[in-house]
Amino acid sequence: MNIDKDSNADVPESDYLTTLLRDPTASHMLETLIRRSPDRAFNILWRKYFVGKLSKLSVHPVANFVVAKAVERLDVEQLKSAVEEMHSIGGKIVSKCSCIFIAYIFQ
């Protein structure tokens, strides 16, 4: 498997990266990885760790900041999908004061 040649490569999910999303200290490292990774690598991270999980991650007290950094990198289609995914839980995000995700969408 070579992600340089195939950004649709099926990369197994890592428990370590999943832990980084929720760890108050290590999440900063994941934010940096998200900001600085090449587009192909970011797209794989987005599909593997965020798509289909935004409703849980966006209300998590730590992971919501990582989600916000990832949202900054989304292309138009990815952002559209993220907004559709989050539409059903918008009220829950606001009630839990996890507005970071919403703020980045409207930025």
Side-chain angles (χ1 to χ4, degrees):
M1 162 181 39
N2 187 346
I3 65 169
D4 290 330
K5 294 181 181 175
D6 182 11
S7 62
N8 291 319
D10 188 25
V11 178
E13 191 167 324
S14 164
D15 290 338
Y16 177 71
L17 280 177
T18 303
T19 301
L20 292 182
L21 278 165
R22 294 174 176 87
D23 183 270
T25 303
S27 63
H28 296 285
M29 184 177 77
L30 186 54
E31 287 179 27
T32 300
L33 176 66
I34 287 169
R35 277 196 315 268
R36 298 187 177 272
S37 63
D39 288 341
R40 289 181 186 161
F42 170 76
N43 289 333
I44 291 170
L45 287 169
W46 177 254
R47 280 193 315 271
K48 188 58 71 174
Y49 297 98
F50 296 92
V51 172
K53 301 170 186 159
L54 289 174
S55 61
K56 288 184 179 183
L57 295 174
S58 296
V59 296
H60 188 276
V62 174
N64 77 83
F65 291 98
V66 181
V67 170
K69 289 298 177 190
V71 167
E72 290 178 357
R73 296 247 350 230
L74 298 181
D75 63 29
V76 174
E77 288 302 314
Q78 289 168 323
L79 182 59
K80 183 178 175 182
S81 294
V83 169
E84 289 172 3
E85 185 177 337
M86 297 303 298
H87 179 71
S88 64
I89 67 148
K92 186 176 180 183
I93 292 173
V94 173
S95 71
K96 289 195 173 228
C97 297
S98 298
C99 300
I100 300 297
F101 175 82
I102 294 172
Y104 277 102
I105 287 177
F106 293 109
Q107 193 172 33

